[in-house]
Amino acid sequence: EVEGGQRRGMITRRIVRSMSAKGMSNEGGKAKALPARVPHEVKFGVVEGENRGSVKGSLFDPPITRTDPYFWLRDDERKSEKVIDYLKQENDYCKEATSHLESFSGEIYKEMKSHLKETDDEVPWQQGTLGWRYFTRTLEGKSYKLHCRTKLESNAEEDLQGENIDVILDENDVAKDLAHCDVGCVVPSPSENLVAYAVDSTGYETYKVCFRDLDGKQNTEETIEETTGDIAWGLDDSLIFYSKMDKAHRPHQLWVRVRKEGTGEARDQLLLEEDDERFWLGLWKSRSGKILFSGLRSKETTEVHMIDLQAVHDRIKAGQDVEIKDFLKMVSPREQGVIYKVDHLDKFGHLVFLTNAWDKKEFTLCAAPVDKPDRANWFEMESFKYDPGKYLLGAYCFKDFVVLSGREGGLTRLWILHFAEDGGTLDVAKCQRVEFEEEAYEVNFSARNKVFDSDSFRVIYSSMVTPDSTVMVNSSSGETEVIKVDEVPGYDPSKYATIRLEAEARDGTKIPMSVVFKKDKDFVDGEDIKT
């Protein structure tokens, strides 16, 4: 320990000397502004009129009091002149205290920027039924992305130009007159004549949903104010779902706007409200597109509700007045400590779950009929039994197969499952793990998988040697095809290699280690490192 401390001290002194040699010292700078100490009593425990938690036995009763001299710095409204003035003093001090680093930070910035391809296109993905393929584009010198679409099948950069491209939204135009701009969801409508997008113009993560006419290339007058930024269309343009937050900025309400196409009329309905402050609300559509899910989740408990979008669509098309709330159905009520994730396996009329129910340490795969989704009807797969060595994270249903994502043996993994019914009981007929050549890597299911009836799916692959890569995986064979490797200017991946080692701990546990090295005459394939 002494030797290690001495070594760390020597390294620190060398860094300081190096910075001084580069002109990075800051002797004689201005003194740091210190905040005023203003005594303020803060109570911990049960306080009348305040929600301090539902487990009363774990709270101080009567409450205890502590003095916080810096409580005045809390400014939830961000309007206190005293707090703002103090922050300005902090910023001024920081600017002067680090002024000697400006040239050095400039060098670092130039170095990092030199390895970025500023003008670049994402690999297009298919969405909808009209043949459009969507993608995002970045341009050199522009701060924000362009959202584009094309009907070409080619992914070549030279083809994704000019008249072949339809720009549906330029975030640079959105940001033009805003002090702050964050564009969240950008979601084409089912007709693909509109796009709904969410924009935060304050930095407070409160989003306004805007609607853009893709034929006229201009925004409509319709907006939805003060949302979380999460939005999802129904089966057609007549429904759009969104969520709102409470005063504590907690997503707690699910809403739907019923739009009468061609009339400009719209009616908003509150569908679900969560009062328990431990739970946050989210919304998403099943990959089949037929179910809208709304999940309520705390740190350790889940409750999901669902809406049959096909049934709602049929009622609206029949010209009937619809109360969407009447179609809201609970999947399974919350149970303390039980978490579950759900998607729709439409072909077999089931919901597929990942859950830690039955006191499981990790998630297990199970299913239930879509018309009987309660936990009492959940059943595990006989041919894909619970394995604590697999940490399952996601289940993504396609028409003819399901992709599971997770971890096994310290690596991110993907499994392809094909299902069958034997005597009326659903089970896994075939399971295949997707394999990659490198020993150490990361792979994730892509959010760009928008086609339900597909025989392949997209993943994003990378390693300590390989930049982010868009890869297609065949669902039948598990074979992979690299569509694009992100270009990193000035970097040659052939000069480097990565391997995976395991070190044995005292208790016999194998500890995985990922190693990256530059190839030379001594280190070519890593075998000498392993031995």
Side-chain angles (χ1 to χ4, degrees):
E1 285 297 323
V2 173
E3 182 181 352
Q6 290 175 340
R7 185 179 295 112
R8 287 191 293 272
M10 292 172 61
I11 293 172
T12 301
R13 288 192 292 274
R14 288 174 184 170
I15 292 174
V16 171
R17 285 198 297 269
S18 174
M19 293 176 66
S20 298
K22 291 178 177 289
M24 298 181 187
S25 63
N26 188 43
E27 297 180 3
K30 69 188 296 185
K32 184 180 186 300
L34 298 176
R37 296 175 64 90
V38 181
H40 179 90
E41 290 189 348
V42 180
K43 292 184 177 181
F44 295 85
V46 177
V47 178
E48 187 175 351
E50 295 186 17
N51 184 358
R52 294 297 183 95
S54 59
V55 186
K56 299 298 183 183
S58 65
L59 302 176
F60 295 115
D61 190 8
I64 62 173
T65 301
R66 292 290 184 266
T67 300
D68 180 1
Y70 302 118
F71 187 86
W72 67 273
L73 286 169
R74 175 170 179 167
D75 178 24
D76 293 340
E77 299 297 325
R78 292 165 172 76
K79 295 179 180 179
S80 169
E81 291 296 332
K82 288 184 178 180
V83 175
I84 293 173
D85 287 343
Y86 174 71
L87 292 176
K88 288 180 179 178
Q89 294 178 49
E90 286 274 12
N91 289 337
D92 291 342
Y93 170 77
C94 179
K95 184 176 181 180
E96 181 169 333
T98 59
S99 60
H100 58 292
L101 298 175
E102 286 184 6
S103 60
F104 186 58
S105 61
E107 292 176 21
I108 295 176
Y109 173 75
K110 289 179 182 178
E111 170 70 16
M112 295 177 66
K113 189 176 179 181
S114 71
H115 296 298
L116 294 176
K117 185 180 180 183
E118 293 188 71
T119 298
D120 200 6
D121 293 333
E122 189 178 6
V123 176
W125 67 90
Q126 186 178 341
Q127 184 168 342
T129 59
L130 301 180
W132 287 109
R133 300 169 71 229
Y134 293 80
F135 65 98
T136 60
R137 166 173 290 168
T138 56
L139 296 175
E140 184 176 359
K142 297 289 187 179
S143 299
Y144 299 93
K145 294 184 292 188
L146 279 66
H147 297 262
C148 312
R149 64 181 181 178
T150 180
K151 287 196 173 181
L152 293 181
E153 291 297 322
S154 173
N155 295 322
E157 289 187 11
E158 58 269 21
D159 293 333
L160 299 177
Q161 305 295 333
E163 295 181 355
N164 295 328
I165 299 303
D166 180 24
V167 178
I168 63 174
L169 181 69
D170 186 342
E171 292 185 15
N172 297 282
D173 290 339
V174 177
K176 192 173 296 181
D177 299 320
L178 301 178
H180 172 87
C181 180
D182 175 36
V183 175
C185 293
V186 178
V187 188
S189 68
S191 72
E192 299 184 79
N193 294 325
L194 290 171
V195 64
Y197 67 93
V199 58
D200 169 21
S201 60
T202 65
Y204 195 47
E205 298 183 359
T206 300
Y207 291 81
K208 177 171 73 172
V209 178
C210 302
F211 296 83
R212 187 169 179 81
D213 180 356
L214 297 185
D215 290 329
K217 295 295 187 297
Q218 61 183 4
N219 281 19
T220 68
E221 294 182 358
E222 182 179 5
T223 60
I224 305 175
E225 302 288 342
E226 298 184 338
T227 79
T228 65
D230 290 338
I231 50 180
W233 292 94
L235 290 189
D236 59 25
D237 295 4
S238 66
L239 297 179
I240 185 166
F241 298 86
Y242 59 96
S243 54
K244 284 181 170 285
M245 295 176 282
D246 61 12
K247 292 182 179 179
H249 233 58
R250 175 183 64 95
H252 75 131
Q253 291 179 336
L254 173 67
W255 288 77
V256 64
R257 173 165 291 183
V258 182
R259 309 170 66 250
K260 290 190 176 181
E261 298 177 59
T263 67
E265 297 179 19
R267 182 166 61 98
D268 294 279
Q269 299 179 19
L270 174 62
L271 303 178
L272 182 64
E273 183 169 11
E274 177 55 50
D275 294 326
D276 190 328
E277 295 178 0
R278 297 173 300 169
F279 287 80
W280 285 39
L281 180 146
L283 66 99
W284 68 97
K285 282 175 74 173
S286 65
R287 301 203 68 267
S288 68
K290 295 182 178 181
I291 297 177
L292 188 284
F293 291 112
S294 181
L296 302 166
R297 180 168 179 174
S298 69
K299 295 293 185 182
E300 54 185 7
T301 304
T302 301
E303 178 179 284
V304 178
H305 298 249
M306 67 181 191
I307 295 174
D308 184 340
L309 295 178
Q310 186 65 58
V312 175
H313 177 77
D314 293 342
R315 286 277 295 274
I316 292 176
K317 286 301 180 183
Q320 302 176 24
D321 290 333
V322 176
E323 288 295 328
I324 309 299
K325 191 172 184 177
D326 294 341
F327 292 85
L328 190 67
K329 177 181 180 180
M330 185 180 294
V331 174
S332 190
R334 67 190 68 175
E335 298 179 51
Q336 180 63 32
V338 175
I339 296 172
Y340 64 91
K341 306 173 184 180
V342 60
D343 199 3
H344 181 211
L345 190 59
D346 184 40
K347 182 176 182 179
F348 295 98
H350 277 66
L351 297 181
V352 170
F353 300 88
L354 292 181
T355 180
N356 66 343
W358 306 294
D359 298 321
K360 294 289 195 293
K361 182 180 179 181
E362 305 293 353
F363 288 114
T364 186
L365 177 70
C366 64
V370 71
D371 58 345
K372 298 177 181 178
D374 188 270
R375 181 184 165 181
N377 299 302
W378 295 0
F379 59 91
E380 294 183 86
M381 303 291 111
E382 284 296 323
S383 300
F384 194 85
K385 291 184 178 295
Y386 170 70
D387 181 356
K390 288 187 176 73
Y391 178 40
L392 303 180
L393 291 170
Y396 310 96
C397 295
F398 289 79
K399 180 176 179 291
D400 295 317
F401 62 95
V402 174
V403 178
L404 295 184
S405 66
R407 284 186 173 272
E408 184 179 36
L411 288 175
T412 51
R413 299 286 193 181
L414 296 170
W415 296 267
I416 305 171
L417 307 183
H418 289 83
F419 287 78
E421 283 187 317
D422 183 9
T425 301
L426 186 69
D427 199 3
V428 175
K430 177 185 176 184
C431 172
Q432 181 176 11
R433 193 174 74 182
V434 182
E435 303 293 348
F436 298 91
E437 291 185 4
E438 290 181 297
E439 295 181 20
Y441 60 85
E442 181 171 349
V443 62
N444 293 292
F445 185 83
S446 172
R448 304 312 194 189
N449 288 294
K450 302 294 186 180
V451 179
F452 182 62
D453 187 5
S454 176
D455 59 4
S456 62
F457 60 96
R458 178 187 293 200
V459 301
I460 302 299
Y461 174 94
S462 66
S463 74
M464 292 195 292
V465 171
T466 306
D468 282 355
S469 307
T470 302
V471 179
M472 296 302 297
V473 182
N474 184 285
S475 65
S476 298
S477 65
E479 294 178 352
T480 59
E481 178 186 3
V482 178
I483 304 300
K484 178 182 179 180
V485 179
D486 286 359
E487 182 181 339
V488 181
Y491 170 66
D492 182 0
S494 67
K495 294 181 179 180
Y496 302 88
T498 182
I499 59 173
R500 192 165 185 268
L501 305 177
E502 287 186 339
E504 186 171 330
R506 292 187 181 94
D507 63 357
T509 302
K510 299 291 186 179
I511 310 299
M513 299 184 295
S514 297
V515 180
V516 63
F517 59 92
K518 187 175 183 179
K519 298 177 183 178
D520 58 25
K521 62 180 181 180
D522 296 319
F523 301 101
V524 178
D525 56 11
E527 288 302 320
D528 42 2
I529 298 177
K530 293 181 179 181
T531 57

